[in-house]
């Protein structure tokens, strides 16, 4: 299980994360953030592979990726 | 004539074109970049050259080349860029080359900011470069005056073989105001330049553009020749505006944007019964010293308003020469004096406060 | 157990970047900060950033910083490094800054083989001042000072900084990378790391040229900008390592 | 008469050209006018704003530090400029883009869903002119005729076909303003 | 103490080393090149760095780096080179960095020549760079004073976090004179520089060396802070020499080499029964205005002697403020006033001539 | 019938050079003047000479001349050429001038492909100001500012200007020649001629680097200087053509 | 027959002409010229081949070479 | 007493160091001294000269524009400086190198074949000190002892073996001067 967190108030809606996510699970939200942008968000978190490609691409360091490792 | 709304920076460019300038060399810097943008478009339309230099140091040296070749030419920048041009300006003076240099001043010192300021007055009028020299320094206060003054700038430059500086600030450069533009442009007549180094083309004796005077006697002679020329310029070309000055008890003064504000304060003060007047130097050098000396006869006080920590005020003091107190009100670092604050200062002074 | 796969590096402050949406300056900042973190240099590093869109870099890098005058960061860095030879000193410069007004300073920092690391952000335009032509602007590219597109007759041809500096014996590491997609971002980071390692090894001057976007002044969306970079800049500015000392190969 | 208008939004929203249109109209009516943009580094892709002064007297400084009217095209602009408006002044908000409310109580505020209305008129580009219509109706700063006349000057010839829809937008705005006045 | 014959340019270098300066950045130019030559040899001996920069623009920016890192550092040049440093100097001021900048002035404007001159006075004291600022400007008049003053220069720079300029001319730089040198050098104590950007090294908050104040309010605050500092400097650090001034009817004044000449004229005039005296500003900024104002009480006239077309004379006039006439005698372009000519001028003035 | 085999070219005035005995600046002056004569350009040429031992070149070349500030001749020449595109414009610059303070100006004149000809006199030292180290000073070479010899750690390694400029697309002709013996003098003249021909053909920027002696500051006799040049400079600065347009090959 | 003329007052005695003359017929004169140098001069003019190598090497353009062509 | 000496010749003839020796001697005798070289571009391999002022009073300007004594080491220097010597002043010429004559009639002139004499002493390098010996004998500007003392300061330690031959040269010069005075 992966958690991708967006610091929504910092997102500029550039869509670069969207364009690189291999799972195509990021979209821009309908609402505006305080800067007046539609912030990015993950729609189907369960599909996320925690590859962090989105985070690496994001110019504004909006994204943090955490993976729940299986506890054996 | 047609009336159009025009940006100050664009007016500098259009004014230059109408003055017959066809060679502009410059480097981008806020708040004057609309001037290069404008000329990048306009110059090719009139068969001229807009060239972006690699730096301000290069711009001014390109101007040295173009001016020495006998062409009307100019460059433009804002405060830090002007600092980089100081060596080149001193060379232009030393070689007696006509050209126009524009400074759309911003907040300093250092990188400072891009807001409007007037902190480069000393650099412009006292000589920021090395050696003894003066530049003719013009200070328009409106977009219309910018357009008109560009012609004056090039004419003076050619007439006296001297660099001419036109100073504005971020407000003058960025604002749009209505201007009257002649529909038909007749290019001004440019005096012959038999000294230009543009290839012999049949001439026997080579022309040399030079500021090296290795023998001190020769260099002193250059200095004296320059200063004799400056005396003529001071006698013939000093320009200023007087406003409600005749009976003024307090004389406000300032240039460019600060003078606009001071002028509105004069009206406000008059409407409150204070006999205020204005002297607005249009040439910062030659400085209109005599009009201050004359005004000192009836005025009790002077108040110099600047967008700096106090620079032109020294020239006012030198002009008034101790006859009356000269006060100062300034904002700096990109701040602009508010009319209401200046008015308050006027009232304070008239009430006898310091 | 939760494992953090990706988080903000310590060598970045928590301030929000002022860059335009999609501007890759932000990616490059992050890569530099990550390298500083990973090499354990945060305590040790002094950065120098001149004028350009990245002029506020001193607000973002969580290390001691200098703001330098336009083009002169290599001279400022020289002054610092000659006083503090043990510290890690880097400059972060735009193409207008480094390839135009600052040409002499970068050439001579390289020739002297100053032990500094230069991150050179080439976005083919003057970003901060409103999209004027840079020495790196591509032929035909429209800018506010080349409104009909850059013309060879008027403005000559773009400078390939990495190739030029690689001719200097003093430049020991010179590489060109790009940040237009995740794969290239990984490669870019490797090059940046190498450039810092070379400084720490005392080998001499190292420079990484990073191709970057400027959606605002290119007049393109962030996504279009990425595409434009890949399709137009890379062919003119080939990626690769132009110089590398045997010691680190 | 001295009117100082501040128009603020994102770069690319037509903030600067809307301001120029207004200034032009003032000029046509032989008023003293000045227009000045903000030109901070923030402009790059961030916020853009401009100040327009229209007056019967010569204008001393064109800087609009205390606007009589503020036109808000994005949320950050409201945060930034709300406090600068003169007491009793006017704020016009494009509520299609700004969902926030004005907190000050000493102002006249009008929310105009300009983008939606513009869509109804068939061209989202005319949203600004709807707001401009509201402005001229509420303040009388310039006449409709002057603005329409200015459009001819400001729009390049190949765009003159857009003059009718822009005029419609202005009139729509004026109508909204009238309704608002009636409501009060 | 040992007495040695030393060149002015070398004395600048030796003085710097004795003041604890270990980082020099410079670019060759006549007539100051013996300074870099000297330091190229000396710096390695004391574990310091002499680095030849690629230009004066780079020198001053290297100084910016070294000063910002917390080190005593300096550069040196002559007139055209100083013009190229104006942007950098304005940045140093804006970032409040302590350093020493030397100008061994030569004839100008332009390339001019390499002969001694004082034509960069305005550039030094009014601010040749952009924005509102002042430099502390020291003007020694002998090789001994150069040695001693280098220590003062570095101390003032550190104490007030300001660039300090030391101005000489080709004569002062090139001449050899006897100097007393302490045999044991104890390095001065340098104040802590907690603001220096030299790596965190455990500190939590990064230090930033910066002159960008994008918000005009902040930039104005910087300006006001600087000028408050300047007030303190003016109150505490103004230096000058008075010579036979008490009962002087004519006050000669000048700085550096011109002051040496004026001083010898004072003696000659006294020996001919003319009550002459001398004011020699040692700090050109802050300018010792008060001593002039005081002297104006008993003196009838002032005569300012300069190796320029007349620059310091403006500050003398501002100081005298119209109370008494201020006359000027100058040679320029590398020419040096002859004592006999200055004496003749004094006699002419005392005879009532202008 | 008397046939004049060798005489002073018309494009030199009759003034005596102020150069030190054996200084090869004089040879280079003469070659430039001969080329101007032979190409019939005397009436047509504007020369630009900045500061350096050749600062008085305006007294020697019998054509219209500019004295330029230190390092900026390429910018001055650009200003002239953009006004007078039909004239022949050349700069004559020393190595301190061109390779140090004037680096930005020469790189950008080349990048813009200004249609000017640059004669670059590399004598591995600052001649005029008293023998300081230049960017071209050889490793180990003693000068007044490298009294222990140029050290890599302190001063880096010499700049090879021709190689560096040849990387620029705008530089269409770049060659290095020497004047240390009659054979090389003949070759040098050919290169200079080519550089002027390229300008006349409108092809772009052309530069000829000429290795030259400075007996005074090298502390050698003229004959020893010639030998030193051949034995020390040529190995570091190989002679040859680095760039040549197809049109003139 | 060749004539090699030296503008003696301009010669700086650098000896570069001497070192390149294939016929080794140039020497420095005993006397000084006005500049204080021993000027170069040809000792056996008849050996001169008018090759002008000396002139080409002279940094001060001191030398002129004229050849009397056989009149057939 | 104010003596202003100008020494002129080619670069490399030891003109500058001879001047320094003289200034040093003056300093040892607690006189006011100043030394200044010409530093024109002409210096490069061309002429070199320096001025030495030795005085009882503080020296205002060290420039020697009207020397009381001129020492000439090459021909161009005579051409250049002959006219500047004060009337009644002294010219010392190294006649081994200068075959020209002084034309002015109002001066004291002494021709010293210094190189030849130096050769006789076994070291051509000491020619300058022969002339210096003449100078101090004729003018009394400084004492022999002071010059010898200065040699120790001016010569690097490894050259101190040359002090005797230099002293010999000075004495030889003084002797020549005495003979000259006797002849007059
Ligand atoms: C001396 C000087 N000249 C000009 C400027 C204006 N200026 C600031 S940044 C800049 C260029 C920025 O372009 P670049 O270096 O490419 O950085 P980018 O913004 O594209 O990242 C210019 C010309 C300045 N600050 N100082
Ligand atoms: C701005 C400036 N800085 C420094 C100088 C001093 N200067 C004159 S020529 C020169 C260097 C000359 O060396 P180079 O260009 O190699 O020419 P060379 O004399 O060797 O032929 C220098 C540093 C100057 N005139 N102007
Ligand atoms: S971590 Fe990978 S899969 Fe998950 S959202 Fe980001 S790019 Fe998509
Ligand atoms: S890349 Fe970053 S800034 Fe851009 S949309 Fe995604 S999260 Fe937002
Ligand atoms: S202007 Fe260009 S480079 Fe600057 S922040 Fe915006 S996108 Fe980035
Ligand atoms: S100093 Fe060197 S380069 Fe200059 S003239 Fe003399 S020998 Fe030639
Ligand atoms: S022409 Fe030839 S042979 Fe005759 S002197 Fe000259 S070099 Fe010798
Ligand atoms: S080469 Fe010329 S200057 Fe040298 S000795 Fe021969 S003739 Fe004289
Ligand atoms: Mg850029
Ligand atoms: Mg050289």
């Amino acid at each position: 299980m992966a958690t991708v967190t967006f610091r929504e108030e910092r997102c500029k809606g550039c869509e670069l994360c969207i364009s690189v996510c291999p799972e195509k699970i990021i979209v821009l939200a309908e609402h505006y953030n305080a800067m007046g942008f539609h912030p990015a968000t993950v729609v189907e978190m369960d599909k996320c592979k925690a590859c962090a490609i989105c985070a690496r691409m994001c110019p504004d360091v909006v994204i943090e990726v955490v993976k729940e490792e299986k506890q054996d | 004539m047609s009336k159009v709304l025009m940006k100050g920076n664009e007016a500098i460019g259009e004014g230059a074109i109408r003055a017959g300038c066809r060679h502009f060399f410059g480097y981008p810097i806020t708040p004057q970049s609309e001037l290069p943008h404008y000329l990048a478009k306009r110059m090719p339309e009139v068969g001229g050259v807009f060239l972006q230099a690699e730096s301000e140091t290069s711009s001014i040296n390109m101007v040295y080349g173009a001016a020495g070749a006998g062409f009307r030419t100019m460059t433009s920048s804002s405060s830090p860029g002007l600092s980089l041009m100081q060596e080149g300006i001193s060379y232009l003076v030393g070689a007696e080359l006509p050209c126009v240099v524009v400074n759309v001043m911003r907040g300093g010192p250092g990188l400072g900011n891009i807001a409007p300021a007037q902190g480069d007055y000393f650099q412009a009028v006292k000589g920021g470069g090395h050696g003894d020299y003066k530049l003719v320094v013009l200070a328009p206060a409106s977009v219309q005056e910018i357009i008109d003054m560009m012609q004056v700038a090039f004419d003076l430059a050619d007439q006296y073989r001297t660099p001419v500086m036109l100073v504005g600030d971020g407000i003058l450069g960025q604002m749009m105001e209505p201007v009257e533009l002649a529909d038909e442009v007749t290019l001004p007549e440019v005096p012959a330049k038999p000294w230009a180094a543009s290839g012999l083309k049949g001439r026997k004796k080579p022309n040399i553009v030079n500021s090296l005077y290795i023998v001190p006697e020769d260099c002193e002679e250059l200095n004296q020749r320059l200063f004799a020329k400056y005396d003529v310029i001071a006698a013939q070309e000093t320009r200023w505006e007087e406003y409600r000055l005749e009976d003024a008890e307090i004389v406000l003064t300032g240039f460019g944007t600060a003078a606009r504000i001071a002028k509105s304060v004069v009206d406000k003060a008059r409407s409150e019964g204070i006999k205020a007047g204005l002297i607005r130097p249009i040439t910062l050098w030659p400085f209109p010293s005599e009009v201050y000396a004359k005004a000192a006869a009836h005025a009790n006080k002077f108040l110099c308003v600047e967008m700096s920590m106090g620079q032109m005020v020294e020239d006012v003091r030198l002009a008034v020469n101790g006859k009356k107190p000269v006060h100062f009100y300034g904002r700096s670092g990109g701040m602009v004096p508010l009319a209401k604050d200046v008015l308050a200062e006027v009232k304070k002074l008239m009430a006898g406060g310091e | 157990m939760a494992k953090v796969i990706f988080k903000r590096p310590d060598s970045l402050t928590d301030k929000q970047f002022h860059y335009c949406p999609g501007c890759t300056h932000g990616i490059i900042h992050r890569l530099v900060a990550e390298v500083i973190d990973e090499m354990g240099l945060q305590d040790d590093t002094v950065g120098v950033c001149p004028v350009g869109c990245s002029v506020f870099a001193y607000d973002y890098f969580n290390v001691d910083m200098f703001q330098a005058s336009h083009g002169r960061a290599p001279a400022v860095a020289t002054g610092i490094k000659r006083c503090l030879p043990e510290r890690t000193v880097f400059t972060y410069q735009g193409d207008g800054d480094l390839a135009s007004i600052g040409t002499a300073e970068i050439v001579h920092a390289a020739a002297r083989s100053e032990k500094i690391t230069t991150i050179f952000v080439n976005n083919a335009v003057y970003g901060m001042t409103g999209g004027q032509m840079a020495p790196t602007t591509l032929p035909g590219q429209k800018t506010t000072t080349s409104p009909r597109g850059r013309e060879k007759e008027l403005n000559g041809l773009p400078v390939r900084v990495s190739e030029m500096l690689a001719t200097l014996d003093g430049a020991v590491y010179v590489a060109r990378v790009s940040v237009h997609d995740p794969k290239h971002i990984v490669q870019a980071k490797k090059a940046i790391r190498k450039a810092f390692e070379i400084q720490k090894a005392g080998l001499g001057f190292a420079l990484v040229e990073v191709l970057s976007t400027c959606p605002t002044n290119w007049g393109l969306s962030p996504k279009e900008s990425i595409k434009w970079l890949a399709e137009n800049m890379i062919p003119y500015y080939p990626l690769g390592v132009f110089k590398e000392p045997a010691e680190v190969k | 008469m001295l009117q100082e208008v501040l128009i603020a939004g994102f770069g690319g929203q037509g903030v600067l050209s809307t301001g120029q249109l207004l200034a032009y109209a003032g000029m046509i009516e032989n008023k003293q006018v000045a227009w000045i943009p903000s030109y901070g580094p923030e402009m790059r892709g961030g916020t853009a704003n401009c100040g327009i002064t229209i007056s019967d007297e010569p204008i001393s400084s064109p800087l609009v530090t205390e606007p009589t009217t503020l036109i808000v095209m994005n949320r950050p602009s409201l945060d930034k400029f709300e406090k600068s408006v003169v007491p009793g002044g006017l704020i016009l908000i494009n509520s299609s883009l700004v969902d926030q409310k004005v907190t000050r109580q000493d102002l006249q505020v009008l929310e105009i869903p300009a983008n939606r209305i513009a869509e109804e008129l068939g061209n989202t580009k005319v949203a600004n002119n709807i707001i401009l219509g509201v402005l001229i109706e509420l303040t009388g700063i310039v006449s409709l005729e002057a603005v329409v006349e200015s459009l001819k000057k400001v729009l390049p010839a190949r765009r003159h076909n857009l003059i009718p829809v822009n005029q419609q937008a202005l009139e729509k705005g004026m109508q909204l303003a009238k309704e608002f006045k009636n409501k009060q």
Side-chain angles (χ1 to χ4, degrees), chain B residues 213-283:
Chain B
Y213 291 82
I214 198 72
V215 179
E217 280 82 355
D218 297 345
C219 195
E220 183 169 57
E221 197 192 300
L222 165 73
N223 274 285
Q224 283 163 351
R225 190 168 74 244
L226 290 177
F227 276 71
K229 177 160 90 179
Y230 297 153
D231 287 344
V232 176
I233 297 175
Q236 303 193 341
E237 309 295 350
T238 308
R239 287 158 202 243
W240 69 92
E241 178 192 349
E242 295 175 17
Y243 182 66
R244 307 181 88 165
L245 190 62
E246 321 74 42
D247 62 341
E249 288 170 3
I250 179 164
V251 176
L252 278 75
T253 186
F255 68 95
T257 298
R260 284 174 79 119
I261 295 163
K263 196 172 184 177
S264 74
V265 172
V266 167
D267 288 338
K268 290 197 172 85
R270 287 265 176 185
S271 74
E272 301 195 23
I274 298 174
K275 285 194 180 165
L278 175 82
I279 300 173
R280 175 171 75 92
I282 295 173
T283 50

Side-chain angles (χ1 to χ4, degrees), chain D residues 117-123 126-134 136 144 147-148 151 161-176:
Chain D
I117 301 173
E119 263 168 53
E120 289 167 17
L121 292 178
N123 189 334
V126 302
N128 293 357
N129 278 339
I130 292 166
I131 300 182
L132 206 52
V134 175
I136 63 176
L144 174 64
V147 182
V148 173
L151 275 170
N161 59 325
L162 295 178
I163 292 177
V165 64
N166 274 293
Q167 180 160 354
Q168 258 185 295
L170 288 161
E171 284 163 0
K172 181 76 195 169
M174 292 176 77
Q175 184 197 325
L176 285 172

Side-chain angles (χ1 to χ4, degrees), chain D residues 34-47:
Chain D
W35 170 98
I36 193 163
S38 78
Y39 55 95
E42 65 202 343
M43 193 184 73
R44 313 256 66 79
T47 51

Side-chain angles (χ1 to χ4, degrees), chain B:
Chain B
M1 281 290 176
S2 49
K3 201 169 170 189
V4 296
L5 202 60
M6 201 167 208
K7 223 178 190 195
N9 282 332
E10 295 173 349
I12 299 170
E14 186 58 32
I17 284 177
R18 285 163 184 251
C21 171
R22 291 293 176 272
H23 295 85
F24 177 94
F25 306 92
Y27 189 77
I29 188 168
T30 313
Q32 65 82 56
S33 290
E34 294 79 9
L35 168 54
H37 299 175
Y38 185 80
L39 289 178
K41 280 213 193 87
R42 276 289 274 148
M43 276 297 190
E45 291 171 12
V46 294
V49 175
F50 163 84
L51 191 67
Q52 183 170 319
E54 60 271 26
S55 69
E56 293 86 351
T57 313
S58 291
S59 308
I60 195 75
N61 280 285
M62 290 175 182
V63 164
Y64 184 88
F71 288 74
R72 286 204 153 177
T73 182
M74 72 178 285
T75 185
S76 165
S77 187
S78 177
S79 310
L82 265 289
S83 291
L84 289 175
M85 293 186 192
Q86 293 306 317
E87 190 204 24
I89 290 175
S90 180
Y91 268 73
L92 283 156
V93 171
E96 295 184 83
L97 295 184
C99 65
V100 175
V101 177
V102 173
N103 184 1
V104 181
M105 292 185 260
R106 55 189 245 180
L111 185 50
N113 58 37
I114 56 180
Q118 300 183 325
D120 308 346
Y121 176 92
F122 277 146
Q123 187 190 60
V125 306
K126 301 294 169 192
H130 59 285
D132 286 291
Y133 70 87
K134 296 287 171 198
L135 304 174
V136 175
V137 182
L138 301 172
S142 71
V143 180
Q144 181 71 56
E145 203 177 14
I146 288 174
I147 282 266
D148 301 339
M149 216 172 260
M150 286 307 292
Q151 170 85 46
V152 175
F154 279 99
D155 287 349
L156 290 177
D158 278 339
Q159 185 178 346
Y160 295 103
R161 282 191 66 181
T162 182
V164 171
M165 184 174 281
L166 185 123
V167 296
D169 60 61
I171 286 181
L172 278 170
Q174 292 293 328
M175 76 190 290
M176 286 181 117
E177 276 188 326
V179 291
E180 300 270 4
L181 280 182
D183 297 324
E184 291 274 290
V185 181
T186 40
L187 283 185
E189 222 170 297
V190 176
K193 302 183 179 181
W195 46 264
S198 52
L200 285 168
K201 288 289 154 198
R203 196 179 351 100
K204 278 280 157 286
K205 208 174 137 343
N207 281 340
I208 297 168
V209 170
N210 179 33
S211 72
L212 173 60
Y213 291 82
I214 198 72
V215 179
E217 280 82 355
D218 297 345
C219 195
E220 183 169 57
E221 197 192 300
L222 165 73
N223 274 285
Q224 283 163 351
R225 190 168 74 244
L226 290 177
F227 276 71
K229 177 160 90 179
Y230 297 153
D231 287 344
V232 176
I233 297 175
Q236 303 193 341
E237 309 295 350
T238 308
R239 287 158 202 243
W240 69 92
E241 178 192 349
E242 295 175 17
Y243 182 66
R244 307 181 88 165
L245 190 62
E246 321 74 42
D247 62 341
E249 288 170 3
I250 179 164
V251 176
L252 278 75
T253 186
F255 68 95
T257 298
R260 284 174 79 119
I261 295 163
K263 196 172 184 177
S264 74
V265 172
V266 167
D267 288 338
K268 290 197 172 85
R270 287 265 176 185
S271 74
E272 301 195 23
I274 298 174
K275 285 194 180 165
L278 175 82
I279 300 173
R280 175 171 75 92
I282 295 173
T283 50
L284 301 185
W285 193 91
F287 193 72
S289 302
E290 277 163 35
V291 62
Y292 289 91
K294 240 191 291 169
H298 52 76
N300 303 325
K301 322 194 129 110
F302 290 78
L303 175 62
C304 186
V305 181
E306 297 182 59
M307 281 143 66
S308 78
M309 295 298 288
Q311 303 195 8
M312 192 181 91
V313 64
E314 283 200 5
D315 282 330
V316 177
R317 291 210 171 100
L318 283 167
V320 172
N321 201 23
K323 290 193 207 89
K324 297 289 161 62
V326 177
H327 301 274
F328 174 71
Y329 182 85
R331 299 299 301 268
S332 68
M335 296 299 290
V336 179
L338 299 178
K340 64 178 181 199
D341 294 339
V342 179
L343 182 63
E345 188 71 17
V346 168
K347 288 186 192 165
K348 200 178 77 186
L349 288 173
M350 293 312 282
E354 291 295 283

Side-chain angles (χ1 to χ4, degrees), chain D residues 9-173:
Chain D
F10 280 127
Q13 285 185 320
V15 161
L16 303 186
S17 53
T18 303
Q20 285 178 16
L21 196 61
L22 183 57
Y24 227 107
M27 181 179 86
I28 287 174
E29 294 193 340
N30 277 316
K31 300 207 165 105
Q32 304 281 338
V33 304
W35 170 98
I36 193 163
S38 78
Y39 55 95
E42 65 202 343
M43 193 184 73
R44 313 256 66 79
T47 51
N49 68 69
C50 65
I52 304 95
T53 308
I54 300 191
S55 169
D56 297 327
E57 316 265 286
I59 295 164
S60 61
S61 161
L63 291 184
V64 175
T65 46
E66 299 175 356
T68 53
T69 300
L70 170 67
I71 296 178
V72 173
M73 306 289 285
N74 71 355
R75 188 177 152 160
S77 297
L78 185 58
D79 295 343
K80 198 165 164 192
F81 295 114
E82 179 182 336
K83 55 183 170 309
S84 67
V85 180
V86 291
L90 173 66
I91 299 190
L92 303 180
I93 298 180
N94 181 342
S95 58
S96 302
L97 307 175
V98 184
D99 53 9
Q100 218 185 355
K101 298 288 166 196
V102 174
T103 55
R104 276 175 63 180
Q105 301 296 328
D106 58 342
L107 304 171
Q108 196 180 12
V109 179
L110 200 51
E111 292 179 5
I112 305 128
N115 287 47
R116 189 177 47 71
I117 301 173
E119 263 168 53
E120 289 167 17
L121 292 178
N123 189 334
T124 46
K125 296 253 159 95
V126 302
N128 293 357
N129 278 339
I130 292 166
I131 300 182
L132 206 52
V134 175
L135 175 76
I136 63 176
E137 175 62 31
L138 284 187
T139 63
I141 184 169
V142 291
S143 66
L144 174 64
E145 294 66 40
V147 182
V148 173
E149 185 63 25
S150 306
L151 275 170
K152 290 183 198 149
K153 303 272 178 179
V154 170
L155 287 179
R158 64 196 156 82
R159 288 274 157 78
H160 278 194
N161 59 325
L162 295 178
I163 292 177
V165 64
N166 274 293
Q167 180 160 354
Q168 258 185 295
L170 288 161
E171 284 163 0
K172 181 76 195 169

